Amino acid sequence: MLDETSSQMPRDYRLDGPNAANAIERGMASAEWYHSEVPRKAMKDLMKRTDQPAIRDTVVLFLGLGLSAAGGVYFYGSAWAIPFFAVYGVLYGSACESRWHECGHGTAFKTHRMNTVVYHVASFMFMRNPVNTRWAHARHHTDTIIVGRDPEILLMRPTAILSFVLRFFGVADVVNAQRTLWCQAFGAFTPAERDYVPEFELEQAGFWARTHVIIYTLALATALVFWT
């Protein structure tokens, strides 16, 4: 049993830290874990996909975003704008996240191009590099919650409660995301990013970072010019 002091000691979650090498040495990286055997035919039936449900749901989502945004803008300056912006925020922060995840896995639509387009749109909305986060998420599924290997561990020990609460409002996320994208736009990838993103994909990652940064900058400049 671990004593209280050892359980409260901060752990090194860096992908280029000592725990990464330790996980590899112990055979925890890319390990073959137990999984239930599913008959091939049953798996094939479970993995059947069609475009229609995903198209319908995506149209409903963006229609809801458009209508709630329009209502918020129309009633801007009065209390009536609050429920519209609340609906917009909930749809943006929840339903769009699931589109990013499922389209990133290629499981939302049957058509590959549709998955790619929606994935890129959702990545832009969440200020995520579509190339970088695709590989980070692949590593997450390969080495789930393995300290030093998984780049998507949200609750680290000891848990920073204030930081966790702020994530619900996206305060720190926006700052960190913009800093990351600007660095990537200039080709400055961290050792951790270079660990899970293949060398041949870094150029594409830089391209999309620059594309996102340009659009964000133009949006900010437009807002400043028109003082909106």
Side-chain angles (χ1 to χ4, degrees), residues 49-56 108-112 114-115:
R49 289 170 291 169
T50 58
D51 288 332
Q52 285 69 32
I55 292 173
R56 177 200 63 207
F109 299 88
K110 180 179 180 180
T111 304
H112 174 71
M114 292 183 181
N115 280 313

Side-chain angles (χ1 to χ4, degrees), residues 23-35 139-144 146 149:
I24 295 174
E25 290 175 4
R26 296 172 61 188
M28 299 179 70
S30 302
E32 289 292 331
W33 303 100
Y34 170 81
H35 63 278
R139 170 68 70 81
H140 163 71
H141 278 288
T142 302
D143 296 332
T144 309
I146 301 299
R149 295 288 297 173

Side-chain angles (χ1 to χ4, degrees), residues 57-73:
D57 294 346
T58 302
V59 169
V60 170
L61 168 61
F62 283 100
L63 186 62
L65 284 170
L67 290 175
S68 57
V73 171

Side-chain angles (χ1 to χ4, degrees), residues 26 46 54 113 125 145 155 172 197 199:
R26 296 172 61 188
L46 290 170
R113 184 178 295 275
M125 294 172 71
I145 320 182
L155 292 176
V197 179
E199 187 71 26

